[in-house]
Structure formats: structure tokens, C-alpha cells
Amino acid sequence: MGQKRIQANLYKRYSKEEAEKRIAAYREKVSKNLARETIYLQIIAENKTRNQTAYDNRKLVKAGEHESCKQRKRRLRKEYLAKKSETLRVN
């Protein structure tokens, strides 16, 4: 509704060609801003889901239902060294 008024004022102030040129430039600027805003909102949504997933995983680790990365690395290293020392004792 306000756009019609703004366009009417542009047509009054400038010639038809100049007014159309300014309106086209404004529409291009608006479309770029909307595209930028869309990308920004997508990034925010991705970060929000990533943070929520990390939070849920931390809760599961504290509850003892999951292993953290460090716990898994320590366990695998311990198993590897035990298997390695066992093969050395057999030989």
C-alpha cells in the first residue's frame, strides 16, 4: 500500500523513465536483501539444530548412555595396546 504512494510520488517528481529506473533499482536492492536474509536465516537454523544436537549428546554422555569422543579414543587405544601386548607374549 505504501509502495503505490512512493511510486506515485516518484512519477510526480521525476520523468517516467527516471522513475522506472529508480523503482527497478530499488526492487533489485530489495530482492538482494531478501536473498541475503534467507541465507542468514538458514545458517541460524543450522546452527540452532547443531547446538541442540550437541546439547542432547552431552546429556546422554552424562547419563552414561553414550560415549564421548575422548572416552571412545581411550577405550580403543586400551584395547589396541592390550591386543598388541597379547600378541607379543604369545610370540
Side-chain angles (χ1 to χ4, degrees):
M1 197 142 152
Q3 294 297 322
K4 284 185 179 181
R5 183 178 51 82
I6 291 171
Q7 288 178 8
N9 286 340
L10 284 174
Y11 284 121
K12 287 179 188 175
R13 184 179 299 166
Y14 302 105
S15 66
K16 185 176 181 179
E17 296 82 20
E18 179 68 22
E20 288 176 358
K21 188 171 113 179
R22 288 176 181 256
I23 290 169
Y26 177 74
R27 285 186 178 154
E28 183 180 335
K29 182 179 173 183
V30 167
S31 66
K32 283 182 182 178
N33 282 340
L34 288 175
R36 189 178 307 137
E37 182 181 348
T38 303
I39 292 170
Y40 176 73
L41 292 175
Q42 286 174 348
I43 291 172
I44 287 177
E46 289 171 4
N47 286 341
K48 188 175 182 181
T49 57
R50 190 180 304 125
N51 289 343
Q52 184 63 39
T53 305
Y55 175 73
D56 293 339
N57 288 338
R58 283 194 306 273
K59 281 175 54 177
L60 291 174
V61 167
K62 285 184 180 181
E65 298 177 21
H66 277 277
E67 274 184 329
S68 70
C69 182
K70 285 186 178 183
Q71 289 171 336
R72 186 172 57 255
K73 282 183 177 180
R74 288 177 186 141
R75 180 181 52 82
L76 291 174
R77 180 75 177 158
K78 188 176 180 181
E79 290 173 3
Y80 169 76
L81 291 175
K83 188 175 182 181
K84 187 175 178 182
S85 66
E86 182 179 302
T87 57
L88 288 176
R89 274 187 259 151
V90 172
N91 291 334

